[in-house]
Amino acid sequence: MNYEKTRQTVLEAILEAVDKGLINGTSGNICMRTPEDPTICCITPSGISYSGMTAEDIAVVKMHEDGKNEWIEGNFKPSSELPMHSEVLRRRPEINATVHTHSMNATICAMGENPELRPITPPQCEFTPVKIVGFTMPGSNEVADKVATTLGDKGLVCLIKNHGMFSCGENMKQAMHATIYTEEMAQTTVIAKTLGTYEPMPREAEEAMQELIAADKAV
Ligand SMILES: [Zn+2]
């Protein structure tokens, strides 16, 4: 099997996401660029239950320069949401792992007239600001473009209205942390707003925390 290590990493990540309740049924998908070839990525397959899945079931895709994606290996065809993942990998060479979920609280926080998601605890500041993308048909090139444009040069997470969230990172660990902390941020926000006790971190504290995180990473 080619790209075994990357396919195994994608498989372990999707099982962890299912285990943590971030993904139900066959919703959500995870993708990772291979270290062997930056134009090749491995992504969870379309419409297949994640329990009992093996590394061979993870689809291998060649991301061509003209924007086309070619399924080159794997027992099942790639997730229909591949364009979102490949567009971010194309535009951001430093990003190697991408995660998309329909996690409940993140989805709730993308609704309403002026949706916003702010950090509640210091570790969440690594992944903010979290911007919101308006609804666009899943699997389309349009949603792929909107997500990649909204993330911009530095963004790690965005929410997609009436759909879910999209996270990315330099490696799978960072992309998974982005997903877990964003859902945690969203869950805390939903409960605190329900109780009437919502109080996100002050902007100055968020910025100070981000400087600390950046300095620690630079060491
Ligand atoms: Zn989706």
Side-chain angles (χ1 to χ4, degrees):
M1 181 181 23
N2 292 314
Y3 310 109
E4 185 170 355
K5 198 156 178 249
T6 307
R7 288 161 99 175
Q8 193 63 40
T9 303
V10 170
L11 176 67
E12 283 164 15
I14 199 91
L15 294 178
E16 186 190 346
V18 171
D19 194 46
K20 287 194 155 69
L22 295 162
I23 286 178
N24 293 317
T26 61
S27 75
N29 21 82
I30 293 185
C31 183
M32 189 176 172
R33 194 196 301 277
T34 67
E36 294 91 341
D37 182 342
T39 68
I40 291 191
C41 65
C42 302
I43 185 166
T44 47
S46 174
I48 310 292
S49 168
Y50 296 125
S51 62
M53 185 173 280
T54 67
E56 273 136 347
D57 299 333
I58 304 294
V60 180
V61 173
K62 168 84 180 171
M63 300 179 285
H64 289 287
E65 265 180 43
D66 62 2
K68 290 212 175 75
N69 292 318
E70 184 190 356
W71 171 32
I72 55 173
E73 250 188 85
N75 295 334
F76 303 101
K77 67 177 181 185
S79 162
S80 60
E81 298 189 283
L82 168 64
M84 230 166 18
H85 298 268
S86 61
E87 192 58 26
V88 172
L89 292 177
R90 274 195 182 86
R91 291 195 203 180
R92 301 267 300 270
E94 87 285 11
I95 293 295
N96 292 300
T98 51
V99 177
H100 165 56
T101 72
H102 298 178
S103 22
M104 187 194 297
N105 293 290
T107 308
I108 293 170
C109 288
M111 297 192 292
E113 290 213 350
N114 294 302
E116 66 162 14
L117 187 57
R118 302 270 322 277
I120 309 290
T121 65
Q124 296 164 353
C125 298
E126 182 180 348
F127 309 105
T128 59
V130 175
K131 294 183 181 166
I132 321 275
V133 179
F135 178 78
T136 315
M137 282 310 283
S140 65
N141 289 334
E142 203 188 342
V143 73
D145 179 59
K146 276 192 183 176
V147 164
T149 302
T150 301
L151 289 173
D153 294 338
K154 294 218 160 65
L156 293 177
V157 186
C158 64
L159 306 185
I160 312 166
K161 195 172 182 186
N162 299 116
H163 189 168
M165 78 160 113
F166 187 92
S167 321
C168 61
E170 289 172 16
N171 49 47
M172 189 59 80
K173 190 176 164 200
Q174 190 184 29
M176 287 297 288
H177 276 177
T179 309
I180 291 162
Y181 280 117
T182 300
E183 179 60 10
E184 178 193 81
M185 201 181 333
Q187 185 176 15
T188 317
T189 298
V190 168
I191 295 172
K193 283 190 173 177
T194 308
L195 292 173
T197 57
Y198 176 62
E199 210 172 340
M201 278 179 67
R203 302 252 181 217
E204 314 81 67
E206 179 185 358
E207 281 163 24
M209 198 56 220
Q210 284 169 337
E211 277 172 30
L212 269 183
I213 292 167
D216 187 43
K217 282 205 166 151
V219 171

